[in-house]
Amino acid sequence: MEWSTVELQKEQQFISLLHRRLDTLRERAETAVDAVARPSGTGHQARIERDVSIAEHSARLSALNAVETGLCFGRLDMRDGARHHIGRIGIREDDAERTPLLVDWRAPVARPFYLATGHEPMGLARRRHITTEGRVVTALHDEILDLGDATRTGHEDPGGDAVLLAALGAARTGRMADIVRTIQAEQDRVIRAPRHGVLVVEGGPGTGKTAVALHRAAFLLYAHREQLARRAVLVVGPNPAFLGYIGEVLPSLGETGVLLATVAELFPGVRADGADTPAAARVKGRAEMAEVLARAVRDRQTLPETVPDIDFEAAGTVPEAALEIDHGQYGTLLLHREMAYEARDRARATGLPHNLARPHFAFRIIDALTAQLADCLGADPYGGPNLLGPDDLAQLGKEIAVSAEVHAAVELLWPSLTPERLVAELLAEPERQLPEHEAALIRRTAGPWTPADVPLLDEAAELLGVDDSAERAAAEAERQERIAYAQGVLDLSEGSRTYEYEDEESELLAAHDVIDAERMAERHDEADRRSAAERAAADRTWAFGHIIVDEAQELSAMAWRLLMRRCPTRSMTLVGDPAQTGDGAGPASWEEILRPYVGDRWRLTRLGVNYRTPAEIMAVAAAVLRESRPGFEPPRSVRSTGVPPRIERAEPAGRLAETVLAAVARETSADGRLAVIAPRELHGRLAPLQGPVDLSRAVVLLEPREAKGLEFDSVIVVEPALLGAGDLYVALTRATRRLTVVHTGEPPPALAPAG
């Protein structure tokens, strides 16, 4: 029997063993879920513990199911004779002390699989790539790193690139696949970089920035499980279609507890599905909007105005402005401007957000009005001291504090505000805070929230705060009740103790010997059964353990303020490409983004190899960008298809749609996914292609910014002259095989020679 057949059989036997072990683990998880689901107690705590256990075992089961495909993909043969199979997760036999059957790709021992070279073999004699379909081994590729080893298996891959090139050339499915089998050395260094601080990963189209970022999330969760599982990892993407595209990567690596979201989804309770014009988004995204909102808050902390329609000159005096407050049988109280001014200063001096400072304002007003009323009611006609005693003053204060008219006056001068109300009022009358030309761009009196509104809402929430004192008081009262109940239980247990010898200390431990009432109450408190990611999604103030931002060059200054609040430790990974910037609100440089938050304490690394875009397409895309950036150098493409881009003119111009549809018909005759990328204003003319953005469809119609981070087998770019340089560069670099450009007028000069 040939070596090649023997090796395939050996690996097949081992893969079968792994999957049997995986099945056993899954059966145990299923059994555990079934066991804890059966009633084992009727108490409140028993139900809580049962629910928590079900959630934990169900999460484990989901992770085990997700790694089924491609469970084991490699083997390391060490020079010392040891062998390690590498896979998506680690699997041990029942005896945890033994060497693992399967080593997790993130473990240190697995790193030579990605880094070893003939020059630096890292102790390896051979590196084997194992290809499977389901549970069947279909191919082996061996790389020899110890040239002194004469053993040959018949599966040697002289170039060592067969697995990578096969993955790059495979047809796309509409979902991003993980690259765990083909991580390259420059990518591995980014994935395993230290967690702390801000790491910026810059790279052109096809360099694997997104895949690297997702694998970094999986690695960090593996290396820092205790910290990050508790605080969660947030992955921020540019749009919902992109999040759907990458949604299967982390589960395939055994990680299901990461929150994927756009910036527009990071304000709980708000659905931002409206749209701004690019100019309006630029205005809303400027850093100056933080001060605009702060001024809007201060403007709502008002004072009584001068009473109108009175001829004060004729009266010979100008009375101080005041609010008249009807106080029933006691007549009218006057809330003078001076009172409000002093109360406002005291409230602002606390440094608290608007809503949290409001009680301080109200207390000062109540005190001032109480003193005013006391002066009226208790004045001695003969000029002596006030006739009211302390009890009388206290009673007057209580009556004023509960007066609806007083509360209305406080609300008028220092209203209780929500972020939604503040931002809506700002957008309805922006000319109160902005120059007219900017105000005209963002003025809106109705309609849905937009993604650019969300950072404004978040900023407003920071300025306003939430006065949750009543909720906290109620929660504390409930906690004290639980503690009192727990103490009663402990007292009963103490009373039931019996001692065989009264004069000798008992060696038996009672309940109160090992737990006090407060801890007992906490253990019986209602448990939050949501995962950390689920709790984070519902909590605007959640502090994440690590944040990964894709297409980071697109975010506005206000969006960065939102994200930095979500990560006080500044443990972040930012990936992007300044050459692909299409949003006018995006910053000019990484330094501009980071300097206000971390100074110069950030690291930059670049990925320089393009694994997606064939050299023929990349050459055209780079030429387009050089028209506006003469010194631009693109990432180096690792492959060539021999198929240059196809440039087609629609003649006459009215036949644009017919020309595009003909190109679609031609491209869909081949395998794979096709994207038609056109300016938004042309989508109506391409009606047969319109529909929801569903990347599982064979053909999808997108605008350039919807295509960011995505890849397709074939791409048709429509009317390139209508696209900005950054957007056109993005559109041209989405294809992995074929590119067609359809135009009516003159295309950009860089595209003309290919016609």
Side-chain angles (χ1 to χ4, degrees):
M1 186 178 295
E2 295 182 359
W3 262 108
S4 58
T5 304
V6 171
E7 289 295 312
L8 276 171
Q9 290 179 346
K10 287 181 178 178
E11 294 295 358
Q12 181 62 64
Q13 291 170 358
F14 181 77
I15 297 297
S16 298
L17 170 64
L18 281 181
H19 280 280
R20 287 196 297 272
R21 178 63 180 151
L22 184 68
D23 290 340
T24 300
L25 294 173
R26 286 195 292 220
E27 288 169 5
R28 289 181 180 176
E30 291 171 349
T31 301
V33 171
D34 293 340
V36 296
R38 290 192 295 271
S40 58
T42 58
H44 180 63
Q45 181 67 13
R47 291 195 301 273
I48 293 172
E49 292 176 351
R50 183 167 64 247
D51 290 345
V52 171
S53 184
I54 289 174
E56 290 174 349
H57 288 299
S58 296
R60 174 63 174 163
L61 183 59
S62 297
L64 292 171
N65 287 333
V67 300
E68 166 77 23
T69 302
L71 175 62
C72 174
F73 54 80
R75 191 183 83 187
L76 299 179
D77 292 1
M78 312 303 292
R79 290 188 175 186
D80 63 6
R83 282 184 176 177
H84 306 290
H85 279 84
I86 312 300
R88 296 175 181 276
I89 60 171
I91 295 181
R92 293 180 178 271
E93 297 199 62
D94 289 334
D95 182 359
E97 297 302 319
R98 296 181 60 184
T99 301
L101 287 172
L102 187 65
V103 174
D104 192 301
W105 67 274
R106 297 165 288 190
V109 71
R111 200 168 190 194
F113 188 78
Y114 302 109
L115 296 184
T117 65
H119 182 65
E120 290 289 343
M122 301 177 70
L124 283 188
R126 177 186 301 264
R127 173 169 47 207
R128 168 168 290 179
H129 297 267
I130 303 172
T131 304
T132 59
E133 290 184 9
R135 300 186 174 197
V136 178
V137 177
T138 58
L140 303 177
H141 293 85
D142 287 349
E143 296 177 65
I144 306 300
L145 291 115
D146 181 3
L147 299 180
D149 185 353
T151 303
R152 296 294 180 266
T153 65
H155 298 284
E156 282 71 28
D157 174 13
D161 294 328
V163 175
L164 173 63
L165 294 176
L168 297 179
R172 269 46 189 173
T173 65
R175 293 289 182 268
M176 176 179 276
D178 64 73
I179 60 169
V180 66
R181 299 172 60 230
T182 58
I183 294 171
Q184 302 301 293
E186 67 168 1
Q187 297 171 330
D188 183 81
R189 283 189 285 271
V190 174
I191 290 169
R192 299 175 191 260
R195 173 172 71 97
H196 296 292
V198 177
L199 174 65
V200 177
V201 183
E202 184 179 298
T207 53
K209 300 183 300 297
T210 298
V212 166
L214 294 173
H215 287 69
R216 176 162 170 76
F219 172 78
L220 292 177
L221 283 164
Y222 172 85
H224 307 280
R225 178 75 62 187
E226 184 176 347
Q227 305 97 312
L228 295 184
R230 184 173 63 252
R231 299 308 314 164
V233 172
L234 170 65
V235 176
V236 178
N239 54 61
F242 174 85
L243 295 181
Y245 175 65
I246 68 172
E248 295 177 3
V249 174
L250 284 167
S252 75
L253 300 174
E255 299 297 345
T256 58
V258 177
L259 176 62
L260 276 62
T262 65
V263 170
E265 296 169 322
L266 292 178
F267 195 90
V270 165
R271 182 173 180 176
D273 50 8
D276 278 311
T277 64
R282 281 194 295 272
V283 172
K284 292 179 180 180
R286 291 166 46 224
E288 290 77 11
M289 288 301 293
E291 179 55 33
V292 167
L293 286 164
R295 289 199 305 268
V297 172
R298 290 195 295 270
D299 284 353
R300 282 153 180 79
Q301 299 165 358
T302 59
L303 302 173
E305 298 297 331
T306 303
V307 180
D309 302 327
I310 296 180
D311 187 354
F312 294 119
E313 259 188 56
T317 182
V318 180
E320 183 186 5
L323 287 177
E324 294 185 353
I325 301 175
D326 181 15
H327 197 51
Q329 61 178 324
Y330 299 116
T332 300
L333 299 174
L334 292 178
L335 201 171
H336 296 288
R337 185 180 181 88
E338 183 180 355
M339 288 182 189
Y341 187 87
E342 190 271 343
R344 186 178 71 175
D345 273 5
R346 291 292 186 92
R348 286 178 173 176
T350 64
L352 295 171
H354 173 88
N355 288 331
L356 300 184
R358 185 174 185 268
H360 295 268
F361 177 82
F363 292 152
R364 299 297 299 182
I365 295 297
I366 291 168
D367 288 346
L369 293 176
T370 300
Q372 182 185 115
L373 183 57
D375 287 343
C376 293
L377 297 181
D380 184 344
Y382 301 104
N386 196 294
L387 300 177
L388 299 179
D391 291 343
D392 299 318
L393 294 175
Q395 182 59 36
L396 290 178
K398 289 178 181 178
E399 292 175 2
I400 289 176
V402 298
S403 166
E405 288 75 13
V406 172
H407 279 276
V410 170
E411 180 66 21
L412 179 65
L413 300 177
W414 194 293
S416 177
L417 296 171
T418 65
E420 292 87 343
R421 175 183 167 186
L422 180 68
V423 175
E425 290 177 353
L426 171 64
L427 296 178
E429 296 183 290
E431 62 276 5
R432 296 178 59 179
Q433 302 293 341
L434 291 168
E436 178 54 36
H437 69 281
E438 293 184 345
L441 294 172
I442 68 170
R443 186 179 292 112
R444 185 182 74 218
T445 56
W449 297 109
T450 70
D453 292 333
V454 169
L456 302 184
L457 291 166
D458 196 72
E459 188 74 27
E462 287 293 306
L463 293 167
L464 297 175
V466 178
D467 183 4
D468 60 352
S469 55
E471 291 84 350
R472 285 188 286 108
E476 178 60 22
E478 183 180 348
R479 190 178 78 90
Q480 293 299 329
E481 287 182 10
R482 292 196 302 271
I483 292 174
Y485 177 81
Q487 187 62 57
V489 173
L490 292 175
D491 292 343
L492 286 174
S493 69
E494 170 66 14
S496 66
R497 289 180 67 176
T498 60
Y499 297 92
E500 190 171 344
Y501 303 102
E502 292 184 3
D503 295 334
E504 295 183 14
E505 182 179 355
S506 173
E507 295 182 358
L508 298 176
L509 291 176
H512 75 274
D513 292 321
V514 294
I515 191 170
D516 59 24
E518 185 170 359
R519 293 184 64 187
M520 183 175 180
E522 289 175 356
R523 290 180 61 178
H524 285 75
D525 191 11
E526 182 72 43
D528 191 338
R529 295 180 292 277
R530 297 173 298 170
S531 69
E534 290 170 330
R535 285 182 282 128
D539 185 353
R540 190 196 69 82
T541 63
W542 188 273
F544 288 92
H546 193 83
I547 293 181
I548 292 173
V549 185
D550 205 335
E551 301 294 345
Q553 77 280 352
E554 297 294 336
L555 298 190
S556 69
M558 290 301 294
W560 282 112
R561 289 176 67 87
L562 178 154
L563 288 179
M564 291 298 176
R565 281 193 284 269
R566 299 297 193 277
C567 192
T569 62
R570 305 292 190 259
S571 177
M572 308 178 81
T573 303
L574 316 181
V575 299
D577 179 14
Q580 298 183 60
T581 301
D583 196 323
S589 66
W590 300 119
E591 183 181 11
E592 181 181 325
I593 294 171
L594 297 171
R595 186 176 58 248
Y597 304 103
V598 298
D600 59 358
R601 299 183 304 279
W602 55 280
R603 316 182 304 280
L604 173 65
T605 187
R606 290 183 173 87
L607 299 175
V609 179
N610 185 337
Y611 300 98
R612 175 206 303 146
T613 315
E616 295 82 358
I617 296 175
M618 198 64 220
V620 171
V624 166
L625 200 57
R626 286 195 188 102
E627 291 177 359
S628 58
R629 298 176 57 179
F632 172 72
E633 286 299 327
R636 177 179 57 84
S637 296
V638 299
R639 63 196 182 96
S640 173
T641 61
V643 181
R646 180 169 180 164
I647 314 297
E648 296 186 29
R649 181 189 294 272
E651 293 182 328
R655 293 186 56 82
L656 175 67
E658 290 85 343
T659 305
V660 172
L661 293 176
V664 168
R666 180 182 67 244
E667 292 296 335
T668 51
S669 63
D671 61 337
R673 295 295 195 277
L674 167 66
V676 178
I677 303 178
R680 174 63 65 180
E681 59 266 30
L682 295 182
H683 284 205
R685 297 173 62 181
L686 302 173
L689 303 177
Q690 283 189 303
V693 178
D694 181 358
L695 299 180
S696 64
R697 294 165 53 196
V699 182
V700 62
L701 176 63
L702 303 169
E703 60 177 319
R705 296 183 192 182
E706 291 176 321
K708 281 184 177 292
L710 308 181
E711 61 183 21
F712 304 89
D713 297 279
S714 301
V715 169
I716 300 173
V717 177
V718 182
E719 288 290 36
L722 298 181
L723 301 176
D727 285 344
L728 179 55
Y729 182 62
V730 169
L732 295 173
T733 54
R734 300 305 97 193
T736 65
R737 296 181 180 179
R738 297 175 299 278
L739 172 66
T740 300
V741 178
V742 178
H743 63 96
T744 54
E746 289 299 319
L751 294 177

